[in-house]
Amino acid sequence: MKGLSICHSSTASSSLPGFIIFFITFCVHKLESARFTVIGPDHPVTAIVGEDIVLPCHLFPRMSAENMEVRWFRSEFTSVVHLYQHGKDEYGQQMPEYHERTELLKAGIMVGNVALGIVNVRPSDEGQYHCFVQDGIFNEEAVLELKVEASGSAPQISVEGYQDGGIRIVCQLAGWYPEPEVLWRDRRGQLLSPSTETKSQDGRGLFEIKSSIIITENSNQNLACSIRNAYFSLEEEPSTFYISDFFFPRMSPWPVVWSVTLVISLVFVSLTLFLLKLRGKHLNTIKWRRSLSDVANVTLDPDTAHPYLVLSEDRKSVSRGDTRQQLRDTPERFDTERWVLGCEGFTRGRHRWEVEVGGGRFWAVGVARESVGRKGGISCSPEGGIWAVERWLGQFRALTSPETPLPLSRAPSRIRVCLDCGRGQVTFIDAGDEAPIFTFPPGSVPGERIRPWLWVGGGSWLRLCP
């Protein structure tokens, strides 16, 4: 018994260090396993068909994800939307429908931002997305939902003939997603049941709907056709139509149809003539503005270009390169921001030039004061000495402080920059249809030397035109 006691004591004392080591290892493993959480939005993200969208996702606490695996997928782990591994994008497993349409936004990857950009959103993109991040054997994921919308044509009401003792009125619309609800109402706002309704989807998956109703002499003759949004139960502004008793003679119904068609045609012609006259005045205004400005033959200054920017031989075009060029770091060269200035500077008079945009997802066009900072991070705003408009994925905005969203369905492919040194004002115009884009107010541009300014992101290029 005494020997047994000694043996038991020796075993207990020898196992104690092992237990401590196991406990410490277990605690360290638990701490190591709780390194980060993947966080996505707690509400659905809404995108517009044809535009670009960013699906937010980040690590908490903030840490670098540069050497981690980031996998965006749909319902199945192998249904890869975008894959980032070993410090680069991998496209071998990507679903064909996302080919050349996705980009992991690496500008914030050093602080744990692993957001995904999707360009040219389609109805088929709608649904759940998994943001999966793995570091070694540890992994976490977040699930978010993308909802897709498209606002198509407004309801168009037309007369399509005589039927069942009345007149057949048709409400048509196209280009909507998700499938909207077409509503008919009478003069008191009461809902009416359509006589027929047909629905179809075009090649892009957008809905086309044709709904009709029969109006008789004794029925409600004041109609409104509207659309209800399937997601938000919001009803769009209705199109209204009224038919008086004059259109219900006891004789043949065809003169009635012809009369209604004639009235609608006259209204359409009058409206068209008015819009043409208004457009003529607008074009004359644009021509007058042009006559007051000197066309500037602008070229790019290679001494200011960031080492990642590649300039053409004629110094008219600039694109973003894949590698950093070995260029001398002079006081004039931008070392952090992918910017370049024009050689020409202006202190007086009115000047204009045009910039053609290629690639289309990341770029900015504008002017900067000659003394704008060249080293380190610089604010893209008038406070930082820059007056510009910018395209960043699905957003088009003026670089005010804060930024001003611009109500354009798509960013223009050619921008005219108009600088008025005397008034301290710069204006941006869509060179395609002469529509104004944005104007920084008079006095906002200082009275020092002002130079053209460009920013080029990945996949884009800019070209200066006369």
Side-chain angles (χ1 to χ4, degrees):
M1 292 294 291
K2 188 174 182 181
L4 180 63
S5 175
I6 293 172
C7 180
H8 182 270
S9 175
S10 175
T11 302
S13 62
S14 63
S15 64
L16 181 60
F19 175 79
I20 294 174
I21 293 172
F22 171 80
F23 180 78
I24 293 174
T25 303
F26 176 80
C27 292
V28 170
H29 177 72
K30 293 296 287 182
L31 289 173
E32 183 72 12
S33 299
R35 286 181 298 181
F36 60 80
T37 302
V38 179
I39 299 177
D42 56 2
H43 55 81
V45 178
T46 302
I48 305 299
V49 171
E51 295 191 358
D52 306 337
I53 189 66
V54 173
L55 301 182
C57 186
H58 68 272
L59 306 185
F60 181 83
R62 299 284 188 177
M63 63 180 66
S64 174
E66 189 175 21
N67 296 316
M68 300 182 186
E69 175 183 320
V70 180
R71 179 187 295 257
W72 282 88
F73 63 93
R74 298 296 297 266
S75 57
E76 302 292 336
F77 189 78
T78 55
S79 302
V80 175
V81 176
H82 192 94
L83 179 61
Y84 173 85
Q85 279 182 324
H86 312 302
K88 62 180 181 178
D89 299 308
E90 300 285 354
Y91 297 101
Q93 303 178 42
Q94 188 179 42
M95 299 168 68
E97 54 266 38
Y98 291 97
H99 181 58
E100 295 186 348
R101 294 179 54 232
T102 63
E103 179 173 359
L104 190 71
L105 305 185
K106 302 181 186 65
I109 199 169
M110 298 298 293
V111 291
N113 187 358
V114 291
L116 179 72
I118 302 178
V119 303
N120 191 20
V121 170
R122 306 169 180 173
S124 59
D125 294 334
E126 188 172 69
Q128 281 193 343
Y129 288 77
H130 296 251
C131 176
F132 173 91
V133 182
Q134 180 167 338
D135 185 18
I137 62 172
F138 175 76
N139 61 77
E140 282 283 344
E141 71 175 68
V143 181
L144 60 142
E145 183 177 1
L146 174 64
K147 288 188 174 182
V148 176
E149 286 186 318
S151 296
S153 62
Q156 302 293 322
I157 298 180
S158 60
V159 178
E160 288 209 350
Y162 182 79
Q163 181 178 335
D164 299 332
I167 297 175
R168 184 170 180 258
I169 307 298
V170 175
C171 180
Q172 291 181 283
L173 52 104
W176 287 82
Y177 189 88
E179 179 185 329
E181 182 182 4
V182 178
L183 304 176
W184 288 98
R185 297 185 186 275
D186 61 16
R187 69 179 68 189
R188 295 183 300 274
Q190 298 297 314
L191 286 173
L192 302 174
S193 297
S195 57
T196 61
E197 187 168 280
T198 59
K199 303 174 183 178
S200 62
Q201 288 180 271
D202 62 18
R204 296 189 299 162
L206 304 181
F207 283 92
E208 300 175 355
I209 300 179
K210 184 176 182 180
S211 179
S212 66
I213 196 167
I214 306 299
I215 297 183
T216 61
E217 186 175 3
N218 297 322
S219 65
N220 289 291
Q221 295 162 214
N222 196 345
L223 295 176
C225 176
S226 59
I227 305 170
R228 179 180 291 167
N229 185 292
Y231 280 150
F232 305 107
S233 297
L234 297 177
E235 191 169 336
E236 301 289 336
E237 189 70 22
S239 296
T240 58
F241 194 84
Y242 177 75
I243 297 182
S244 67
D245 292 337
F246 169 76
F247 294 102
F248 294 94
R250 302 299 184 267
M251 47 190 301
S252 172
W254 292 112
V256 175
V257 177
W258 294 337
S259 300
V260 174
T261 305
L262 178 61
V263 171
I264 295 175
S265 300
L266 289 174
V267 171
F268 177 77
V269 170
S270 299
L271 181 60
T272 302
L273 291 175
F274 172 76
L275 292 176
L276 288 174
K277 184 177 180 182
L278 191 64
R279 177 174 174 79
K281 290 183 178 180
H282 173 68
L283 291 176
N284 287 335
T285 301
I286 295 296
K287 291 178 181 178
W288 175 76
R289 286 179 182 173
R290 283 186 174 183
S291 67
L292 298 178
S293 303
D294 293 329
V295 177
N297 185 18
V298 178
T299 56
L300 299 174
D301 185 353
D303 293 335
T304 65
H306 185 277
Y308 265 102
L309 298 185
V310 179
L311 274 59
S312 62
E313 291 186 6
D314 61 359
R315 297 189 298 179
K316 287 286 190 177
S317 300
V318 58
S319 60
R320 172 85 170 266
D322 296 328
T323 58
R324 186 184 181 96
Q325 302 174 82
Q326 299 299 318
L327 301 176
R328 193 162 60 95
D329 186 15
T330 62
E332 293 81 14
R333 189 178 307 283
F334 294 108
D335 68 347
T336 302
E337 308 294 349
R338 274 63 167 174
W339 298 349
V340 62
L341 295 178
C343 291
E344 294 70 24
F346 310 101
T347 57
R348 64 180 63 186
R350 297 186 179 98
H351 310 273
R352 61 182 173 90
W353 60 93
E354 294 184 1
V355 182
E356 183 180 354
V357 179
R361 291 192 292 167
F362 307 94
W363 51 261
V365 172
V367 299
R369 61 189 179 198
E370 190 168 50
S371 61
V372 67
R374 312 296 172 92
K375 309 300 179 184
I378 307 163
S379 172
C380 281
S381 66
E383 288 77 10
I386 293 169
W387 296 262
V389 293
E390 174 191 65
R391 173 72 188 269
W392 175 261
L393 283 178
Q395 300 179 349
F396 187 52
R397 57 197 178 186
L399 295 181
T400 53
S401 184
E403 293 91 351
T404 302
L406 299 176
L408 297 179
S409 59
R410 60 179 177 82
S413 59
R414 187 162 172 152
I415 296 176
R416 182 177 304 124
V417 184
C418 302
L419 174 65
D420 188 335
C421 297
R423 301 187 67 190
Q425 175 178 298
V426 61
T427 298
F428 299 91
I429 296 172
D430 186 338
D433 58 10
E434 303 290 351
I437 297 174
F438 187 79
T439 297
F440 285 87
S444 59
V445 182
E448 63 175 275
R449 195 166 187 251
I450 302 298
R451 298 171 67 176
W453 172 92
L454 301 176
W455 168 70
V456 184
S460 298
W461 57 263
L462 301 174
R463 185 170 69 88
L464 294 168
C465 309

